[in-house]
PDB file of all heavy atoms in Angstrom:
ATOM      1  N   GLU A   1     -32.028 -52.945 -21.628  1.00  0.00           N
ATOM      2  CA  GLU A   1     -33.094 -53.846 -22.089  1.00  0.00           C
ATOM      3  C   GLU A   1     -33.066 -55.162 -21.313  1.00  0.00           C
ATOM      4  O   GLU A   1     -34.112 -55.689 -20.929  1.00  0.00           O
ATOM      5  CB  GLU A   1     -32.962 -54.091 -23.587  1.00  0.00           C
ATOM      6  CG  GLU A   1     -33.294 -52.870 -24.422  1.00  0.00           C
ATOM      7  CD  GLU A   1     -33.045 -53.055 -25.917  1.00  0.00           C
ATOM      8  OE1 GLU A   1     -32.644 -54.166 -26.339  1.00  0.00           O
ATOM      9  OE2 GLU A   1     -33.241 -52.081 -26.663  1.00  0.00           O
ATOM     10  N   GLU A   2     -31.861 -55.666 -21.055  1.00  0.00           N
ATOM     11  CA  GLU A   2     -31.692 -56.907 -20.299  1.00  0.00           C
ATOM     12  C   GLU A   2     -32.222 -56.763 -18.862  1.00  0.00           C
ATOM     13  O   GLU A   2     -32.929 -57.640 -18.361  1.00  0.00           O
ATOM     14  CB  GLU A   2     -30.206 -57.274 -20.283  1.00  0.00           C
ATOM     15  CG  GLU A   2     -29.826 -58.463 -19.437  1.00  0.00           C
ATOM     16  CD  GLU A   2     -28.305 -58.628 -19.315  1.00  0.00           C
ATOM     17  OE1 GLU A   2     -27.547 -58.064 -20.139  1.00  0.00           O
ATOM     18  OE2 GLU A   2     -27.882 -59.320 -18.373  1.00  0.00           O
ATOM     19  N   LEU A   3     -31.899 -55.668 -18.213  1.00  0.00           N
ATOM     20  CA  LEU A   3     -32.291 -55.469 -16.815  1.00  0.00           C
ATOM     21  C   LEU A   3     -33.754 -55.074 -16.630  1.00  0.00           C
ATOM     22  O   LEU A   3     -34.411 -55.540 -15.703  1.00  0.00           O
ATOM     23  CB  LEU A   3     -31.428 -54.388 -16.167  1.00  0.00           C
ATOM     24  CG  LEU A   3     -30.074 -54.771 -15.622  1.00  0.00           C
ATOM     25  CD1 LEU A   3     -29.382 -53.551 -15.036  1.00  0.00           C
ATOM     26  CD2 LEU A   3     -30.183 -55.859 -14.575  1.00  0.00           C
ATOM     27  N   PHE A   4     -34.242 -54.204 -17.507  1.00  0.00           N
ATOM     28  CA  PHE A   4     -35.548 -53.595 -17.276  1.00  0.00           C
ATOM     29  C   PHE A   4     -36.635 -54.015 -18.268  1.00  0.00           C
ATOM     30  O   PHE A   4     -37.787 -53.602 -18.128  1.00  0.00           O
ATOM     31  CB  PHE A   4     -35.418 -52.069 -17.235  1.00  0.00           C
ATOM     32  CG  PHE A   4     -34.388 -51.590 -16.245  1.00  0.00           C
ATOM     33  CD1 PHE A   4     -33.259 -50.904 -16.661  1.00  0.00           C
ATOM     34  CD2 PHE A   4     -34.532 -51.847 -14.884  1.00  0.00           C
ATOM     35  CE1 PHE A   4     -32.304 -50.467 -15.750  1.00  0.00           C
ATOM     36  CE2 PHE A   4     -33.590 -51.419 -13.961  1.00  0.00           C
ATOM     37  CZ  PHE A   4     -32.468 -50.738 -14.397  1.00  0.00           C
ATOM     38  N   GLY A   5     -36.263 -54.807 -19.287  1.00  0.00           N
ATOM     39  CA  GLY A   5     -37.254 -55.335 -20.219  1.00  0.00           C
ATOM     40  C   GLY A   5     -37.880 -54.309 -21.147  1.00  0.00           C
ATOM     41  O   GLY A   5     -38.960 -54.549 -21.701  1.00  0.00           O
ATOM     42  N   GLU A   6     -37.234 -53.173 -21.318  1.00  0.00           N
ATOM     43  CA  GLU A   6     -37.729 -52.155 -22.254  1.00  0.00           C
ATOM     44  C   GLU A   6     -36.564 -51.360 -22.805  1.00  0.00           C
ATOM     45  O   GLU A   6     -35.467 -51.379 -22.238  1.00  0.00           O
ATOM     46  CB  GLU A   6     -38.723 -51.223 -21.570  1.00  0.00           C
ATOM     47  CG  GLU A   6     -38.136 -50.441 -20.406  1.00  0.00           C
ATOM     48  CD  GLU A   6     -39.174 -49.602 -19.670  1.00  0.00           C
ATOM     49  OE1 GLU A   6     -40.381 -49.913 -19.752  1.00  0.00           O
ATOM     50  OE2 GLU A   6     -38.783 -48.641 -19.016  1.00  0.00           O
ATOM     51  N   LYS A   7     -36.809 -50.668 -23.907  1.00  0.00           N
ATOM     52  CA  LYS A   7     -35.755 -49.850 -24.512  1.00  0.00           C
ATOM     53  C   LYS A   7     -35.602 -48.555 -23.716  1.00  0.00           C
ATOM     54  O   LYS A   7     -36.587 -47.960 -23.305  1.00  0.00           O
ATOM     55  CB  LYS A   7     -36.110 -49.516 -25.960  1.00  0.00           C
ATOM     56  CG  LYS A   7     -36.047 -50.709 -26.894  1.00  0.00           C
ATOM     57  CD  LYS A   7     -36.178 -50.247 -28.328  1.00  0.00           C
ATOM     58  CE  LYS A   7     -36.066 -51.412 -29.281  1.00  0.00           C
ATOM     59  NZ  LYS A   7     -34.745 -51.975 -29.360  1.00  0.00           N
ATOM     60  N   PRO A   8     -34.355 -48.123 -23.505  1.00  0.00           N
ATOM     61  CA  PRO A   8     -34.159 -46.841 -22.809  1.00  0.00           C
ATOM     62  C   PRO A   8     -34.426 -45.675 -23.757  1.00  0.00           C
ATOM     63  O   PRO A   8     -34.402 -45.840 -24.975  1.00  0.00           O
ATOM     64  CB  PRO A   8     -32.684 -46.886 -22.416  1.00  0.00           C
ATOM     65  CG  PRO A   8     -32.046 -47.690 -23.503  1.00  0.00           C
ATOM     66  CD  PRO A   8     -33.082 -48.745 -23.854  1.00  0.00           C
ATOM     67  N   GLU A   9     -34.660 -44.523 -23.195  1.00  0.00           N
ATOM     68  CA  GLU A   9     -34.765 -43.308 -23.996  1.00  0.00           C
ATOM     69  C   GLU A   9     -33.342 -42.817 -24.229  1.00  0.00           C
ATOM     70  O   GLU A   9     -32.642 -42.467 -23.283  1.00  0.00           O
ATOM     71  CB  GLU A   9     -35.576 -42.256 -23.250  1.00  0.00           C
ATOM     72  CG  GLU A   9     -35.749 -40.987 -24.024  1.00  0.00           C
ATOM     73  CD  GLU A   9     -36.554 -39.929 -23.285  1.00  0.00           C
ATOM     74  OE1 GLU A   9     -37.059 -40.203 -22.180  1.00  0.00           O
ATOM     75  OE2 GLU A   9     -36.663 -38.820 -23.820  1.00  0.00           O
ATOM     76  N   VAL A  10     -32.915 -42.826 -25.476  1.00  0.00           N
ATOM     77  CA  VAL A  10     -31.569 -42.383 -25.840  1.00  0.00           C
ATOM     78  C   VAL A  10     -31.719 -41.086 -26.620  1.00  0.00           C
ATOM     79  O   VAL A  10     -32.414 -41.052 -27.635  1.00  0.00           O
ATOM     80  CB  VAL A  10     -30.832 -43.430 -26.699  1.00  0.00           C
ATOM     81  CG1 VAL A  10     -29.473 -42.919 -27.137  1.00  0.00           C
ATOM     82  CG2 VAL A  10     -30.698 -44.742 -25.944  1.00  0.00           C
ATOM     83  N   LYS A  11     -31.091 -40.040 -26.115  1.00  0.00           N
ATOM     84  CA  LYS A  11     -31.193 -38.762 -26.816  1.00  0.00           C
ATOM     85  C   LYS A  11     -29.974 -37.906 -26.536  1.00  0.00           C
ATOM     86  O   LYS A  11     -29.292 -38.078 -25.527  1.00  0.00           O
ATOM     87  CB  LYS A  11     -32.464 -38.026 -26.426  1.00  0.00           C
ATOM     88  CG  LYS A  11     -32.562 -37.656 -24.956  1.00  0.00           C
ATOM     89  CD  LYS A  11     -33.891 -36.967 -24.675  1.00  0.00           C
ATOM     90  CE  LYS A  11     -33.998 -36.576 -23.221  1.00  0.00           C
ATOM     91  NZ  LYS A  11     -35.251 -35.884 -22.941  1.00  0.00           N
ATOM     92  N   ALA A  12     -29.718 -37.006 -27.449  1.00  0.00           N
ATOM     93  CA  ALA A  12     -28.679 -36.002 -27.253  1.00  0.00           C
ATOM     94  C   ALA A  12     -29.364 -34.790 -26.654  1.00  0.00           C
ATOM     95  O   ALA A  12     -30.496 -34.460 -27.009  1.00  0.00           O
ATOM     96  CB  ALA A  12     -28.037 -35.649 -28.587  1.00  0.00           C
ATOM     97  N   ILE A  13     -28.691 -34.135 -25.715  1.00  0.00           N
ATOM     98  CA  ILE A  13     -29.263 -32.947 -25.084  1.00  0.00           C
ATOM     99  C   ILE A  13     -28.279 -31.789 -25.171  1.00  0.00           C
ATOM    100  O   ILE A  13     -27.080 -31.988 -25.378  1.00  0.00           O
ATOM    101  CB  ILE A  13     -29.647 -33.199 -23.607  1.00  0.00           C
ATOM    102  CG1 ILE A  13     -28.422 -33.559 -22.771  1.00  0.00           C
ATOM    103  CG2 ILE A  13     -30.724 -34.262 -23.509  1.00  0.00           C
ATOM    104  CD1 ILE A  13     -28.670 -33.565 -21.284  1.00  0.00           C
ATOM    105  N   HIS A  14     -28.797 -30.604 -24.979  1.00  0.00           N
ATOM    106  CA  HIS A  14     -27.983 -29.398 -25.006  1.00  0.00           C
ATOM    107  C   HIS A  14     -27.763 -28.967 -23.564  1.00  0.00           C
ATOM    108  O   HIS A  14     -28.635 -28.367 -22.947  1.00  0.00           O
ATOM    109  CB  HIS A  14     -28.722 -28.313 -25.788  1.00  0.00           C
ATOM    110  CG  HIS A  14     -27.952 -27.038 -25.897  1.00  0.00           C
ATOM    111  ND1 HIS A  14     -26.781 -26.944 -26.616  1.00  0.00           N
ATOM    112  CD2 HIS A  14     -28.169 -25.819 -25.378  1.00  0.00           C
ATOM    113  CE1 HIS A  14     -26.321 -25.716 -26.534  1.00  0.00           C
ATOM    114  NE2 HIS A  14     -27.149 -25.013 -25.787  1.00  0.00           N
ATOM    115  N   ALA A  15     -26.632 -29.344 -23.013  1.00  0.00           N
ATOM    116  CA  ALA A  15     -26.347 -29.017 -21.619  1.00  0.00           C
ATOM    117  C   ALA A  15     -24.842 -29.024 -21.398  1.00  0.00           C
ATOM    118  O   ALA A  15     -24.095 -29.620 -22.169  1.00  0.00           O
ATOM    119  CB  ALA A  15     -27.010 -30.039 -20.696  1.00  0.00           C
ATOM    120  N   GLY A  16     -24.413 -28.379 -20.348  1.00  0.00           N
ATOM    121  CA  GLY A  16     -23.015 -28.444 -19.950  1.00  0.00           C
ATOM    122  C   GLY A  16     -22.853 -29.612 -18.993  1.00  0.00           C
ATOM    123  O   GLY A  16     -23.361 -29.570 -17.885  1.00  0.00           O
ATOM    124  N   LEU A  17     -22.198 -30.656 -19.454  1.00  0.00           N
ATOM    125  CA  LEU A  17     -22.032 -31.850 -18.625  1.00  0.00           C
ATOM    126  C   LEU A  17     -20.552 -32.144 -18.408  1.00  0.00           C
ATOM    127  O   LEU A  17     -19.710 -31.761 -19.211  1.00  0.00           O
ATOM    128  CB  LEU A  17     -22.696 -33.062 -19.284  1.00  0.00           C
ATOM    129  CG  LEU A  17     -24.209 -33.005 -19.465  1.00  0.00           C
ATOM    130  CD1 LEU A  17     -24.690 -34.204 -20.263  1.00  0.00           C
ATOM    131  CD2 LEU A  17     -24.902 -32.958 -18.123  1.00  0.00           C
ATOM    132  N   GLU A  18     -20.281 -32.887 -17.359  1.00  0.00           N
ATOM    133  CA  GLU A  18     -18.905 -33.270 -17.054  1.00  0.00           C
ATOM    134  C   GLU A  18     -18.299 -34.100 -18.180  1.00  0.00           C
ATOM    135  O   GLU A  18     -17.085 -34.123 -18.356  1.00  0.00           O
ATOM    136  CB  GLU A  18     -18.858 -34.042 -15.739  1.00  0.00           C
ATOM    137  CG  GLU A  18     -19.145 -33.186 -14.521  1.00  0.00           C
ATOM    138  CD  GLU A  18     -20.618 -32.827 -14.326  1.00  0.00           C
ATOM    139  OE1 GLU A  18     -21.491 -33.358 -15.046  1.00  0.00           O
ATOM    140  OE2 GLU A  18     -20.900 -31.998 -13.450  1.00  0.00           O
ATOM    141  N   CYS A  19     -19.135 -34.774 -18.962  1.00  0.00           N
ATOM    142  CA  CYS A  19     -18.619 -35.570 -20.089  1.00  0.00           C
ATOM    143  C   CYS A  19     -17.780 -34.705 -21.024  1.00  0.00           C
ATOM    144  O   CYS A  19     -16.792 -35.176 -21.589  1.00  0.00           O
ATOM    145  CB  CYS A  19     -19.766 -36.208 -20.863  1.00  0.00           C
ATOM    146  SG  CYS A  19     -20.620 -37.503 -19.947  1.00  0.00           S
ATOM    147  N   GLY A  20     -18.161 -33.446 -21.205  1.00  0.00           N
ATOM    148  CA  GLY A  20     -17.386 -32.543 -22.050  1.00  0.00           C
ATOM    149  C   GLY A  20     -15.989 -32.310 -21.509  1.00  0.00           C
ATOM    150  O   GLY A  20     -15.021 -32.211 -22.259  1.00  0.00           O
ATOM    151  N   ILE A  21     -15.866 -32.226 -20.195  1.00  0.00           N
ATOM    152  CA  ILE A  21     -14.553 -32.042 -19.558  1.00  0.00           C
ATOM    153  C   ILE A  21     -13.689 -33.277 -19.791  1.00  0.00           C
ATOM    154  O   ILE A  21     -12.528 -33.185 -20.174  1.00  0.00           O
ATOM    155  CB  ILE A  21     -14.721 -31.738 -18.057  1.00  0.00           C
ATOM    156  CG1 ILE A  21     -15.468 -30.411 -17.875  1.00  0.00           C
ATOM    157  CG2 ILE A  21     -13.365 -31.707 -17.359  1.00  0.00           C
ATOM    158  CD1 ILE A  21     -15.943 -30.139 -16.468  1.00  0.00           C
ATOM    159  N   PHE A  22     -14.264 -34.467 -19.581  1.00  0.00           N
ATOM    160  CA  PHE A  22     -13.519 -35.708 -19.816  1.00  0.00           C
ATOM    161  C   PHE A  22     -13.158 -35.853 -21.290  1.00  0.00           C
ATOM    162  O   PHE A  22     -12.044 -36.246 -21.643  1.00  0.00           O
ATOM    163  CB  PHE A  22     -14.331 -36.930 -19.369  1.00  0.00           C
ATOM    164  CG  PHE A  22     -14.644 -36.950 -17.899  1.00  0.00           C
ATOM    165  CD1 PHE A  22     -15.902 -37.295 -17.457  1.00  0.00           C
ATOM    166  CD2 PHE A  22     -13.685 -36.636 -16.953  1.00  0.00           C
ATOM    167  CE1 PHE A  22     -16.200 -37.324 -16.097  1.00  0.00           C
ATOM    168  CE2 PHE A  22     -13.973 -36.652 -15.589  1.00  0.00           C
ATOM    169  CZ  PHE A  22     -15.238 -37.007 -15.168  1.00  0.00           C
ATOM    170  N   TYR A  23     -14.113 -35.530 -22.170  1.00  0.00           N
ATOM    171  CA  TYR A  23     -13.913 -35.650 -23.618  1.00  0.00           C
ATOM    172  C   TYR A  23     -12.777 -34.746 -24.090  1.00  0.00           C
ATOM    173  O   TYR A  23     -11.992 -35.122 -24.952  1.00  0.00           O
ATOM    174  CB  TYR A  23     -15.221 -35.299 -24.338  1.00  0.00           C
ATOM    175  CG  TYR A  23     -15.211 -35.537 -25.820  1.00  0.00           C
ATOM    176  CD1 TYR A  23     -15.438 -36.804 -26.346  1.00  0.00           C
ATOM    177  CD2 TYR A  23     -14.986 -34.489 -26.715  1.00  0.00           C
ATOM    178  CE1 TYR A  23     -15.438 -37.026 -27.711  1.00  0.00           C
ATOM    179  CE2 TYR A  23     -14.983 -34.709 -28.077  1.00  0.00           C
ATOM    180  CZ  TYR A  23     -15.204 -35.966 -28.574  1.00  0.00           C
ATOM    181  OH  TYR A  23     -15.203 -36.176 -29.936  1.00  0.00           O
ATOM    182  N   GLU A  24     -12.687 -33.558 -23.507  1.00  0.00           N
ATOM    183  CA  GLU A  24     -11.616 -32.623 -23.864  1.00  0.00           C
ATOM    184  C   GLU A  24     -10.251 -33.159 -23.431  1.00  0.00           C
ATOM    185  O   GLU A  24      -9.256 -33.007 -24.122  1.00  0.00           O
ATOM    186  CB  GLU A  24     -11.874 -31.264 -23.225  1.00  0.00           C
ATOM    187  CG  GLU A  24     -10.818 -30.223 -23.582  1.00  0.00           C
ATOM    188  CD  GLU A  24     -11.093 -28.893 -22.928  1.00  0.00           C
ATOM    189  OE1 GLU A  24     -11.087 -28.823 -21.676  1.00  0.00           O
ATOM    190  OE2 GLU A  24     -11.305 -27.927 -23.676  1.00  0.00           O
ATOM    191  N   LYS A  25     -10.199 -33.806 -22.266  1.00  0.00           N
ATOM    192  CA  LYS A  25      -8.937 -34.322 -21.725  1.00  0.00           C
ATOM    193  C   LYS A  25      -8.491 -35.615 -22.405  1.00  0.00           C
ATOM    194  O   LYS A  25      -7.310 -35.928 -22.442  1.00  0.00           O
ATOM    195  CB  LYS A  25      -9.057 -34.574 -20.215  1.00  0.00           C
ATOM    196  CG  LYS A  25      -9.451 -33.363 -19.410  1.00  0.00           C
ATOM    197  CD  LYS A  25      -8.325 -32.387 -19.303  1.00  0.00           C
ATOM    198  CE  LYS A  25      -8.740 -31.218 -18.415  1.00  0.00           C
ATOM    199  NZ  LYS A  25      -7.867 -30.079 -18.550  1.00  0.00           N
ATOM    200  N   ILE A  26      -9.468 -36.395 -22.907  1.00  0.00           N
ATOM    201  CA  ILE A  26      -9.171 -37.680 -23.541  1.00  0.00           C
ATOM    202  C   ILE A  26      -9.829 -37.683 -24.923  1.00  0.00           C
ATOM    203  O   ILE A  26     -10.954 -38.188 -25.091  1.00  0.00           O
ATOM    204  CB  ILE A  26      -9.695 -38.862 -22.692  1.00  0.00           C
ATOM    205  CG1 ILE A  26      -9.220 -38.746 -21.248  1.00  0.00           C
ATOM    206  CG2 ILE A  26      -9.281 -40.196 -23.307  1.00  0.00           C
ATOM    207  CD1 ILE A  26      -9.907 -39.700 -20.286  1.00  0.00           C
ATOM    208  N   PRO A  27      -9.186 -37.100 -25.940  1.00  0.00           N
ATOM    209  CA  PRO A  27      -9.794 -36.995 -27.270  1.00  0.00           C
ATOM    210  C   PRO A  27     -10.261 -38.364 -27.793  1.00  0.00           C
ATOM    211  O   PRO A  27      -9.585 -39.371 -27.633  1.00  0.00           O
ATOM    212  CB  PRO A  27      -8.662 -36.436 -28.133  1.00  0.00           C
ATOM    213  CG  PRO A  27      -7.783 -35.709 -27.168  1.00  0.00           C
ATOM    214  CD  PRO A  27      -7.853 -36.512 -25.892  1.00  0.00           C
TER     215      PRO A  27
END
């Protein structure tokens, strides 16, 4: 909001992402 003057689109998605790998390694 500070940089672009608008709210970002925040959503949960159904996908295989690297975040899951990191999340598994660092509970």
Side-chain angles (χ1 to χ4, degrees):
E1 290 175 2
E2 175 188 341
L3 277 180
F4 306 117
E6 62 185 22
K7 290 190 178 290
E9 181 180 356
V10 177
K11 62 182 181 179
I13 62 169
H14 181 67
L17 296 174
E18 290 76 8
C19 291
I21 297 168
F22 298 136
Y23 187 82
E24 182 180 63
K25 302 287 183 196
I26 309 168

